[in-house]
Amino acid sequence: LQMSKIYPSYFWWKDPEPEVFLNVYIFNITNAAEFIAGTDVKLKLEEIGPITFQEILEHKDVEWHDENSTLSYTVHRRIVFKESANIKGILNETVIVPNMASLSGCSYVADSWWLSRSFSLLLTSFNTRPVTETTIYNYFFNLSDPIL
């Protein structure tokens, strides 16, 4: 395909029109305390979503190389929250979700008695739990844990 700055195909390529959407679902744990205490043997989950984001694709820093009829560029992708496609205030909803830092750490050290005891002490000292309560916004953009 030959590109030229004067043809519409160049502008279609540089700033593509097709809209790409990403639908994300979160599973809220509704019986976390009972499950951790052992009174419930299965987690009860509530599906929340879809939470819709849009991918914005742009080709930037376009450089034309006339000597070999090529061009170089940098692809920029942004994901933006699509307010009009979502329930009003959905990012402010509170959810209980797995604490991936503590659960993956426990899984990693499970085969070593010494490491699992040490990791357990670390979790206790930072008061880290296997689940965390947070807003959907924080879960997507700001979630952190003291053990990290």
Side-chain angles (χ1 to χ4, degrees), residues 15 19 36 58 68 87-88 100 107 112 132 135 141-144 147-148:
D15 298 311
E19 294 183 335
I36 292 169
E58 299 172 287
N68 61 0
I87 297 169
K88 185 176 174 77
M100 297 311 288
S107 175
S112 168
T132 186
T135 64
F141 304 111
N142 294 327
L143 193 59
S144 184
I147 65 169
L148 296 177

Side-chain angles (χ1 to χ4, degrees), residues 13-81:
W13 168 82
K14 187 170 182 322
D15 298 311
E17 282 291 322
E19 294 183 335
V20 177
F21 295 100
L22 174 66
N23 290 324
V24 180
Y25 294 83
I26 292 182
F27 293 92
N28 181 36
I29 302 171
T30 59
N31 67 333
E34 296 85 355
F35 182 77
I36 292 169
T39 56
D40 283 358
V41 294
K42 289 185 179 181
L43 286 175
K44 293 178 184 169
L45 303 174
E46 168 195 19
E47 181 181 282
I48 299 175
I51 302 166
T52 305
F53 295 87
Q54 181 178 2
E55 178 187 54
I56 309 293
L57 174 69
E58 299 172 287
H59 298 103
K60 294 191 173 194
D61 307 320
V62 178
E63 293 182 34
W64 295 87
H65 307 288
D66 294 327
E67 64 278 359
N68 61 0
S69 299
T70 63
L71 56 89
S72 59
Y73 57 91
T74 305
V75 176
H76 287 261
R77 285 186 164 87
R78 294 181 294 128
I79 304 294
V80 295
F81 180 71

